Amino acid sequence: RDQRYDAVLHLVTAADGARDFYTLENNQSRHESAEEAIGMDRRLRTSWVGHPRLRVIDNRSDFNDKMNRVISIVCNLVGLPQIPEVSRKFLVRGDFSMLGATSGFIQEFDVDQTILVVNRDGVDESVRRRGSGGVFSYVHRQRVTGSNGKVREIKRGINEREYLTLLQHADPHRKTLRMKRRCFLYSDTYYVLDEIKNIFPPVSLLRTQTESIGTELDLPPFVEVEEDVTNLEDYSVMNLSTLVAPQRKFEYETRLVANHNFLTKGAESL
């Protein structure tokens, strides 16, 4: 499912938040009462919880603005110029092992995110493995900062072979971030909670996408928020991974020496 669709946009039924505009008169195929429509709508969007690019478009504005939000999200996803979405990020704490008991339905994944060595200025690259129950999906991410300071992010799905090949270029001076990812819906907003335990001190981050930095959020009360870290570089993947990984550094340098010896030997035999 997560590899079949690049993104999932769920438009909340008018019955939930815009009841005056929900009617059976303009659609012969519609026969549900407002309460039934709300129930079906919530079951449908819950079924998509866990998809890496789920967006929920609610009814907090009129229909034209709702459509404009859809267009803006699609443009951002395909890389067309638009007002970019803002990834809001919060430092949180607590025991999240029983989160499902308080938040309702959640999806849990094991995620490995690895920074790659890149020899180009203004370009960061990483690969991500995400999965559950032994089934994994893989993503290659490239983040390009232009001369004007604007950042463009390109993500593409890759297969396991490509992932393992790219891992050969893992930055020896950075750790792979290993995290437990929990995805859930609260108050018509899709949240992702990443618990990163292989760094010290451990860090837990709650993330969501909004139209702007000023968008008001109804944060889940079952998660204790310590600080809004949206604009703090200390909590970026690049900075969180800066701990030197001695074993990886050794393996990387060993490969460089082996490649050098192979090329030298080949040149001498010519």
Side-chain angles (χ1 to χ4, degrees):
R1 178 199 72 172
D2 293 357
Q3 292 177 295
R4 183 179 301 167
Y5 302 106
D6 291 326
V8 176
L9 276 64
H10 179 92
L11 279 67
V12 175
T13 174
D16 189 356
R19 183 73 65 94
D20 292 343
F21 297 95
Y22 183 81
T23 177
L24 307 182
E25 297 177 0
N26 60 358
N27 189 335
Q28 294 182 354
S29 300
R30 182 183 294 158
H31 54 80
E32 302 87 2
S33 67
E35 289 72 21
E36 290 172 333
I38 291 172
M40 291 177 61
D41 183 89
R42 290 181 178 174
R43 288 193 296 273
L44 179 60
R45 63 187 173 191
T46 296
S47 70
W48 287 106
V49 168
H51 193 284
R53 286 184 171 179
L54 172 63
R55 302 288 189 268
V56 179
I57 299 93
D58 60 18
N59 294 301
R60 63 175 177 266
S61 58
D62 62 30
F63 184 75
N64 287 335
D65 184 69
K66 187 176 182 180
M67 292 301 100
N68 286 333
R69 280 187 281 152
V70 171
I71 294 169
S72 181
I73 290 170
V74 172
C75 288
N76 275 296
L77 290 170
V78 301
L80 292 177
Q82 274 285 329
I83 298 174
E85 287 184 295
V86 176
S87 181
R88 303 284 295 278
K89 192 183 302 183
F90 300 88
L91 182 66
V92 297
R93 65 181 175 183
D95 178 9
F96 307 115
S97 59
M98 298 299 293
L99 188 63
T102 52
S103 66
F105 181 78
I106 67 169
Q107 285 272 31
E108 293 190 357
F109 301 93
D110 293 312
V111 177
D112 290 351
Q113 188 142 346
T114 305
I115 304 298
L116 305 179
V117 174
V118 181
N119 296 317
R120 287 182 290 167
D121 292 336
V123 179
D124 300 325
E125 291 190 25
S126 65
V127 287
R128 185 188 71 205
R129 184 181 78 155
R130 191 188 85 142
S132 176
V135 179
F136 295 94
S137 61
Y138 307 91
V139 170
H140 173 245
R141 181 189 70 92
Q142 187 179 73
R143 194 168 181 266
V144 182
T145 303
S147 57
N148 57 0
K150 291 186 177 180
V151 177
R152 184 166 58 98
E153 188 171 89
I154 303 167
K155 291 184 179 180
R156 66 182 183 93
I158 56 177
N159 58 37
E160 184 180 16
R161 179 178 293 181
E162 290 175 292
Y163 172 75
L164 294 174
T165 299
L166 287 168
L167 273 185
Q168 299 300 308
H169 303 282
D171 190 330
H173 300 288
R174 297 180 184 275
K175 268 193 173 184
T176 289
L177 296 181
R178 292 194 166 89
M179 60 193 84
K180 174 67 72 173
R181 175 164 293 178
R182 297 176 174 92
C183 307
F184 60 92
L185 285 162
Y186 177 74
S187 189
D188 292 340
T189 302
Y190 185 52
Y191 288 99
V192 175
L193 175 60
D194 287 333
E195 193 175 6
I196 310 170
K197 292 187 173 182
N198 70 323
I199 59 176
F200 185 81
V203 170
S204 296
L205 296 170
L206 181 69
R207 297 183 292 106
T208 190
Q209 301 293 128
T210 62
E211 286 89 23
S212 70
I213 193 68
T215 301
E216 189 173 336
L217 284 172
D218 185 9
L219 293 170
F222 44 81
V223 175
E224 185 178 353
V225 176
E226 290 192 70
E227 185 181 0
D228 184 341
V229 296
T230 298
N231 292 319
L232 298 184
E233 283 298 314
D234 286 349
Y235 294 95
S236 68
V237 170
M238 290 294 292
N239 283 333
L240 289 173
S241 66
T242 51
L243 295 177
V244 175
Q247 180 62 28
R248 170 170 295 156
K249 185 176 181 182
F250 172 77
E251 292 172 353
Y252 182 76
E253 290 174 348
T254 300
R255 285 201 305 272
L256 289 179
V257 171
N259 289 339
H260 174 75
N261 291 342
F262 175 80
L263 293 172
T264 302
K265 186 176 180 181
E268 290 174 349
S269 65
L270 294 177

